[in-house]
Amino acid sequence: MSTFYVTTPIYYVNGEPHAGHAYTTIVADALARYHRIKGDEVFFLTGVDEHGANVHKAAENEGISPQAYCDKMAPTFTQLWERLHISNDIFLRTTSDMHKRGVKKFLTALYDSGDIYKGPYEGYYCRPCERFFPEKELTDEKICPIHKLPLEWTEEENYFFRLSKYQDRLLARIHEDPQFIYPESRRNELLNVLKSGLEDISISRSSVSWGISLPFDPEHVIYVWIEALTNYMTALDYETEGERYQTFWPADVHMMAKEITRFHALIWPAMLMAVNLPLPRQVVAHGWLTKDGEALSKTRGIFIDMDGDIATYGVDAFRYYLLREFSFGNDGDYRPARLHARYNADLANDLGNLLNRVLGLVNKNFEGIPEPTTPGEFDAEIKQMAQTTVDKLDAHLKAFAFDAALETIWEFVRRINRYIQQTEVWTLTKPETRPRMGTILYNSLEALRLISVLISPFIPETAEKIQKQIGLVAFDTVAEWGRLPVGLTVSRGDPIFPRLDTKKEKQPQLKASAKSKQKQEPETTDLVSFADFQKLDLRVARVLAAEPVEGADRLLKLQVDFGTEKRQVVAGIAEHYTSDALIGKQVIVVANLEPATIRGIESQGMILAGSGDSVVLATLEKEMPLGTQVR
Ligand code: MSP
């Protein structure tokens, strides 16, 4: 049996969890659940980081002891994880005895390795990050690049870890396995850090009291980051090196957002090298969830109204939206309007309606699930598609492409909807066609059972509801075609995703926005179908000539070349581009837009550009032949 050990960062308890923490934890949960249905033995760790000056300060602000403060804050995380149906196997608290014992053992081993020495430290420190920033990474203002807050000049006597010694071994590790740091953008970033040279890092604080003391010098407290990294082993009860530790170390995936990859992919592996322990197999980082383009931040009060959205759409819709809409590895802006659109289009329409329709037809025409006696058109194709869906899902998840994974499942959902349409199954009620009707409905239910298995890592509550409605008593996790028993009594259950109309849905949003004083979302937009999108003919063209339009300050008249033809296009970019800057540039043009006359000049297309406070032309990352279609 394969094993799979996945971790989230342990989150600081100096504030309540927000949607950013939820995103990482949902992503890790989806992986853990996926590996469980594949039959792997899984261990899924999440937890909280409770030590350090930051937490101490938060406790002081409330006038309670740090321990009392942590005891109050830790449940805000566990409660959220329960609400979001997170299936973690452990919730590690760094104030627990098991962790403390493991940390002491690890630090003793590190000390014995000879890579620890004492020395003075001075530098710019960010309290919310709990880390020093090298001067070369700062501007003159000495502002934290992450929190945008002033850094504190700090001087103290510390213990150091000889990180620099591991430079070459780290490089070798990264080169030997291109997947070790994922995605490539993060790998390249860390290769650059390595190129500019690693400095030794301080691993203790003499000015901080809330933490675990160094086993070899109790006057010092272990630097909270060094302590925190060891949690991935202490959670397996590293101190006893018992069965759990033997089974699951090294971790398969350390999941996190991009800002802490340096700790996980350089410092942590170097610490493990120093004590001769195996390294985690993969350090994986996603981008940041943003709100109106800004990073979420406890300190700066920028947050997402997760509670309001979960109350309106349900936990699974929230999970689905985050996993389906964000391209893993990149930043993504959280938009309730998109959540609304996904809810109605994918969940209510595609999936919810399919289930309802099939159950309705079975109930109306049969006593329980009918026998598939009469194969016919499309059946083999659907069975084949079930298998390719399973295979593609696996490939996408290996690449952490949750959006593509869900899209693959939804292609299958939509195929089954089409199967119902194509076969006009509802008309096959005559005695001679009823066996075929029964077969089509059996296949549709089997497809729904399979879909429920495949969606269970992402939207587990929905998966269970579907299986219950089709009459299964215990949750079936096997993604193989043909397992659905004949004769089960199906229920005509409540719609799993009742359609929410825009007006009704707007109420809670308005209230939530007023409460959080956030900007109002734009009007809800429904999704366009892929077919509609395909109607757009976007093409690469080169600007041959550009000249101002008399009497219109904002307009430029451009001649563009598609390779096979030349066209005239009027664009409102004169305030942002001079004619000279445009000539020779490749641009993307909507080639099949109805011609329009602007200020008496015919415009035969539209040039794409990002338009906000400034306007920036859209181009391809590299030049391509003129006339190339952009999709
Ligand atoms: N305690 C350290 C981690 C130690 S792990 C050995 C820490 N804690 S944190 O509370 O700041 O959590 C950071 C993590 O929370 C990110 O790496 C990410 O997993 C998650 N996120 C916090 N804000 C986020 C977004 N805005 N978007 C996505 N994930 C976010 O760092």
Side-chain angles (χ1 to χ4, degrees):
M1 191 197 245
S2 306
T3 60
F4 183 73
Y5 177 25
V6 59
T7 67
T8 72
I10 44 171
Y11 306 112
Y12 289 130
V13 287
N14 63 326
E16 292 193 1
H18 59 62
H21 303 119
Y23 178 63
T24 314
T25 313
I26 288 170
V27 162
D29 184 56
L31 291 175
R33 287 177 181 273
Y34 179 65
H35 280 270
R36 285 194 200 105
I37 63 169
K38 275 184 33 164
D40 293 347
E41 193 183 346
V42 171
F43 195 71
F44 170 18
L45 157 69
T46 188
V48 278
D49 197 352
E50 305 182 276
H51 288 128
N54 230 356
V55 172
H56 198 172
K57 206 169 178 176
E60 263 175 13
N61 289 345
E62 296 204 4
I64 54 177
S65 73
Q67 187 63 58
Y69 176 79
C70 293
D71 291 346
K72 186 183 87 158
M73 293 305 287
T76 64
F77 287 83
T78 45
Q79 280 154 15
L80 179 63
W81 303 152
E82 269 168 40
R83 183 164 184 216
L84 294 175
H85 301 134
I86 302 299
S87 63
N88 52 305
D89 295 293
I90 188 170
F91 179 79
L92 182 100
R93 294 187 55 180
T94 57
T95 49
S96 66
D97 280 346
M98 182 174 71
H99 174 73
K100 289 180 187 165
R101 282 188 272 110
V103 172
K104 295 231 172 195
K105 172 166 165 161
F106 192 95
L107 265 288
T108 304
L110 202 59
Y111 189 66
D112 293 345
S113 75
D115 286 334
I116 303 286
Y117 63 92
K118 203 172 183 181
Y121 200 91
E122 47 185 44
Y124 289 98
Y125 197 74
C126 173
R127 217 168 262 286
C129 290
E130 293 275 21
R131 61 169 284 206
F132 285 100
F133 280 90
E135 210 157 348
K136 62 185 174 192
E137 288 182 22
L138 300 174
T139 59
D140 288 348
E141 283 75 43
K142 314 294 181 224
I143 298 284
C144 166
I146 291 165
H147 293 91
K148 318 282 181 223
L149 292 172
L151 298 170
E152 289 168 33
W153 178 257
T154 312
E155 294 175 22
E156 57 180 52
E157 180 89 340
N158 280 338
Y159 283 90
F160 284 80
F161 169 57
R162 249 182 262 283
L163 180 63
S164 56
K165 175 177 159 188
Y166 293 93
Q167 164 112 2
D168 292 342
R169 280 180 66 188
L170 286 168
L171 258 180
R173 177 73 185 90
I174 296 172
H175 282 303
E176 139 204 320
D177 178 5
Q179 304 292 311
F180 174 56
I181 303 173
Y182 191 89
E184 211 185 338
S185 49
R186 300 278 82 85
R187 179 173 188 262
N188 291 339
E189 182 186 311
L190 295 187
L191 281 171
N192 280 334
V193 171
L194 281 172
K195 250 190 233 149
S196 72
L198 287 181
E199 287 170 20
D200 293 349
I201 56 155
S202 86
I203 60 147
S204 69
R205 296 283 179 273
S206 50
S207 57
V208 174
S209 59
W210 177 236
I212 303 176
S213 55
L214 275 177
F216 46 87
D217 185 346
E219 295 297 301
H220 288 252
V221 158
I222 303 166
Y223 170 38
V224 68
W225 256 108
I226 297 295
E227 183 215 314
L229 288 165
T230 65
N231 94 90
Y232 301 125
M233 280 171 47
T234 66
L236 303 175
D237 202 358
Y238 162 64
E239 198 241 348
T240 60
E241 294 189 33
E243 197 188 325
R244 196 197 281 168
Y245 174 77
Q246 300 299 336
T247 310
F248 291 107
W249 191 258
D252 292 273
V253 173
H254 285 327
M255 180 61 69
M256 70 206 67
K258 60 186 181 180
E259 81 288 355
I260 55 175
T261 40
R262 200 185 296 199
F263 288 102
H264 286 82
L266 302 181
I267 298 173
W268 176 225
M271 287 163 63
L272 289 162
M273 285 171 181
V275 298
N276 281 321
L277 287 172
L279 309 191
R281 297 200 172 88
Q282 239 185 334
V283 174
V284 181
H286 56 72
W288 279 339
L289 227 61
T290 61
K291 179 74 191 160
D292 301 323
E294 295 215 64
L296 308 185
S297 153
K298 288 175 205 168
T299 8
R300 297 173 60 220
I302 301 172
F303 65 95
I304 286 165
D305 182 23
M306 170 166 63
D307 281 347
D309 286 342
I310 293 175
T312 306
Y313 299 99
V315 167
D316 274 3
F318 178 71
R319 289 176 61 119
Y320 180 81
Y321 166 66
L322 291 178
L323 294 167
R324 173 67 187 82
E325 193 88 356
F326 295 92
S327 148
F328 189 87
N330 299 325
D331 290 353
D333 209 38
Y334 184 94
R335 303 215 171 117
R338 298 293 305 155
L339 166 57
H340 181 86
R342 285 281 175 204
Y343 178 95
N344 274 341
D346 299 9
L347 300 175
N349 254 12
D350 291 344
L351 182 60
N353 280 353
L354 174 64
L355 179 66
N356 240 264
R357 208 166 173 196
V358 175
L359 292 182
L361 284 165
V362 172
N363 273 323
K364 195 166 158 202
N365 297 287
F366 298 91
E367 299 280 320
I369 298 181
E371 212 174 323
T373 54
T374 319
E377 206 185 355
F378 309 117
D379 295 9
E381 182 205 327
I382 276 162
K383 189 174 162 192
Q384 176 61 39
M385 188 169 179
Q387 190 51 48
T388 46
T389 304
V390 172
D391 297 342
K392 278 195 202 165
L393 180 66
D394 198 62
H396 289 315
L397 288 184
K398 282 204 175 94
F400 305 96
F402 298 95
D403 54 346
L406 284 167
E407 177 54 23
T408 298
I409 302 174
W410 254 255
E411 277 164 15
F412 189 50
V413 171
R414 290 191 287 262
R415 179 67 193 92
I416 305 304
N417 271 318
R418 230 172 38 248
Y419 178 53
I420 307 269
Q421 280 312 117
Q422 286 169 320
T423 53
E424 297 186 358
V425 59
W426 61 93
T427 62
L428 307 178
T429 46
K430 293 199 192 98
E432 63 276 22
T433 52
R434 270 179 61 86
R436 178 64 188 143
M437 181 188 218
T439 307
I440 294 166
L441 291 176
Y442 177 90
N443 288 342
S444 304
L445 283 172
E446 173 56 354
L448 275 160
R449 186 198 63 81
L450 202 100
I451 288 163
S452 72
V453 176
L454 300 184
I455 61 175
S456 66
F458 315 102
I459 46 174
E461 193 182 7
T462 305
E464 279 188 21
K465 278 187 193 163
I466 294 177
Q467 291 210 0
K468 260 197 201 122
Q469 292 203 6
I470 60 185
L472 290 164
V473 182
F475 194 81
D476 183 353
T477 58
V478 183
E480 271 165 30
W481 185 268
R483 291 172 50 87
L484 184 68
V486 168
L488 293 180
T489 309
V490 305
S491 71
R492 174 77 204 242
D494 299 327
I496 48 173
F497 293 104
R499 220 185 137 81
L500 287 173
D501 70 43
T502 309
K503 280 191 204 109
K504 252 199 281 166
E505 176 273 338
K506 263 193 177 165
Q507 262 341 78
Q509 242 194 54
L510 280 173
K511 268 198 248 143
S513 313
K515 193 178 82 197
S516 61
K517 295 206 176 52
Q518 285 169 352
K519 268 194 217 162
Q520 194 57 49
E521 273 296 311
E523 262 305 288
T524 300
T525 47
D526 260 334
L527 297 176
V528 292
S529 69
F530 185 62
D532 278 347
F533 165 71
Q534 273 190 318
K535 287 183 196 152
L536 280 182
D537 188 16
L538 304 176
R539 302 236 174 216
V540 175
R542 191 181 303 286
V543 179
L544 297 177
E547 57 182 272
V549 174
E550 223 173 284
D553 291 348
R554 296 180 44 243
L555 298 182
L556 285 178
K557 183 169 85 176
L558 311 176
Q559 306 300 327
V560 298
D561 183 5
F562 286 91
T564 48
E565 65 170 305
K566 300 193 177 46
R567 296 239 195 120
Q568 173 171 293
V569 176
V570 178
I573 54 173
E575 286 164 331
H576 306 276
Y577 286 89
T578 62
S579 303
D580 282 354
L582 286 168
I583 294 170
K585 241 192 200 335
Q586 279 204 344
V587 288
I588 300 170
V589 181
V590 185
N592 60 345
L593 197 68
E594 251 178 5
T597 306
I598 305 171
R599 298 284 176 116
I601 304 168
E602 189 179 35
S603 180
Q604 304 154 328
M606 187 174 101
I607 296 201
L608 295 188
S611 82
D613 290 338
S614 67
V615 169
V616 178
L617 289 176
T619 57
L620 296 181
E621 200 241 332
K622 282 194 206 110
E623 288 221 336
M624 289 189 80
L626 298 182
T628 302
Q629 264 208 319
V630 180
R631 304 228 140 273

